[in-house]
Amino acid sequence: MASTDTTPVQDAGSVEAGLDALETTATSRPGFRQTLVTKILPPVTAIAVVMVAWYVLYPIVDNPSKLPSPGAVGSEFKDAWLKGDLLGYIWTSVSRGLLGFLFALVIGTPLGLLVARVRFVRAAIGPILSGLQSLPSVAWVPPAVIWLGLNNSMMYAVILLGAVPSIANGLVSGVDQVPPLFLRAGRTLGATGVKGIWHVTLPAALPGYVAGLKQGWAFSWRSLMAAEIIASFPDLGVGLGQLLENARTNSDMAMVFEAILLILFVGIAIDLLIFSPLERWVLRSRGLLVKS
């Protein structure tokens, strides 16, 4: 009789132990060789292919005013570094972009929650947000200059108008995908009002929200580059967009490529350092991404 009573307990313990072992195996740290093959080698190969194509095309074009040599672009980087200007170009744009994105985050998050939870607000503002998201960021630069003048406030206004709709729409999409069962369970447990939003709605909507944040940063960066290219002014300092515009004015293609590569580098670096780890954490916490 005693053995009959303990058999289900033993079976449950065996199943639990098996699941623990499976989880431990699935989340084991990948080796260096696997990391090299899956993480490091692909981007290095892509860069190598681009460089080879560049070296092949340069003699064919044979016109430095249209396609500079890799050596000429490298010299531009070296000169900017030796003069102490390179980090200044990057910091001027990155500081504006991140600060503007934080402003957009503070505005877009409550706006997205309001649109997602209030039916009248969604009917009134939802289509406008979608329309603003599809509007090119460069279209906001002329009115922002007229309204605010050539200053940093104009830059931040352009970033906000480009990023807020993406962040708000991402959160609305995430809230729409929250299972109603979660909301009912939260209300049953007393999570209503602000407590329900904080403990139930936002965590459940996190994948869509993170996607909106990622897209919002892309819009922030593009909006800032458009503003720096069009609204150049000495008092604003020289950011990456201003560097690109100066290179165009001087017909210096080596500097043009320098500015383009720096803009790409910053955009990729922010994504790899901030948004990709955040996205992986969200997916892994929901069992949608397993370490191998």
Side-chain angles (χ1 to χ4, degrees):
M1 190 69 176
S3 60
T4 305
D5 293 337
T6 57
T7 300
V9 177
Q10 292 174 349
D11 292 342
S14 301
V15 172
E16 184 177 357
L19 291 175
D20 289 341
L22 179 61
E23 183 178 1
T24 302
T25 303
T27 59
S28 60
R29 189 178 183 85
F32 174 75
R33 182 176 181 181
Q34 184 178 359
T35 302
L36 177 66
V37 172
T38 60
K39 301 291 185 181
I40 300 175
L41 192 58
V44 170
T45 303
I47 293 173
V49 170
V50 171
M51 293 301 298
V52 169
W54 193 352
Y55 273 104
V56 170
L57 288 175
Y58 172 68
I60 297 175
V61 175
D62 196 22
N63 189 344
S65 64
K66 293 184 178 180
L67 181 65
S69 67
V73 177
S75 297
E76 286 291 337
F77 277 103
K78 182 180 178 180
D79 292 343
W81 175 260
L82 293 177
K83 292 177 182 177
D85 294 334
L86 188 62
L87 294 180
Y89 298 149
I90 296 173
W91 175 246
T92 299
S93 293
V94 169
S95 60
R96 283 179 185 151
L98 290 178
L99 186 57
F101 177 75
L102 289 177
F103 289 152
L105 182 63
V106 171
I107 296 173
T109 300
L111 180 62
L113 284 173
L114 190 64
V115 172
R117 304 301 295 171
V118 181
R119 189 172 302 176
F120 175 81
V121 176
R122 170 175 290 205
I125 301 179
I128 298 176
L129 286 176
S130 299
L132 290 175
Q133 190 173 359
S134 63
L135 184 68
S137 304
V138 68
W140 289 114
V141 178
V145 171
I146 294 173
W147 293 335
L148 301 172
L150 290 170
N151 50 47
N152 281 318
S153 298
M154 176 273 301
M155 299 281 186
Y156 295 135
V158 173
I159 293 174
L160 288 176
L161 290 167
V164 167
S166 295
I167 295 174
N169 280 331
L171 184 52
V172 170
S173 177
V175 172
D176 287 345
Q177 296 174 26
V178 175
L181 180 61
F182 288 6
L183 302 177
R184 291 197 296 270
R187 286 194 295 268
T188 301
L189 296 173
T192 58
V194 176
K195 187 183 294 186
I197 291 174
W198 182 255
H199 291 287
V200 179
T201 304
L202 279 179
L206 206 52
Y209 184 42
V210 171
L213 293 181
K214 193 173 182 179
Q215 189 178 48
W217 163 251
F219 275 87
S220 295
W221 190 238
R222 283 162 39 182
S223 301
L224 177 60
M225 291 302 102
E228 287 186 351
I229 290 172
I230 296 176
S232 59
F233 192 64
D235 291 344
L236 292 174
V238 180
L240 298 179
Q242 179 64 59
L243 178 66
L244 182 59
E245 177 61 16
N246 291 343
R248 184 200 66 82
T249 302
N250 297 325
S251 299
D252 188 342
M253 282 302 296
M255 187 182 292
V256 167
F257 270 64
E258 176 194 15
I260 291 174
L261 290 175
L262 285 174
I263 293 170
L264 283 173
F265 169 77
V266 171
I268 293 172
I270 295 294
D271 180 74
L272 291 178
L273 294 175
I274 298 177
F275 293 104
S276 290
L278 179 61
E279 192 173 33
R280 287 196 300 271
W281 173 78
V282 170
L283 293 176
R284 189 176 294 120
S285 66
R286 282 155 172 73
L288 301 175
L289 182 66
V290 179
K291 291 181 181 179
S292 57

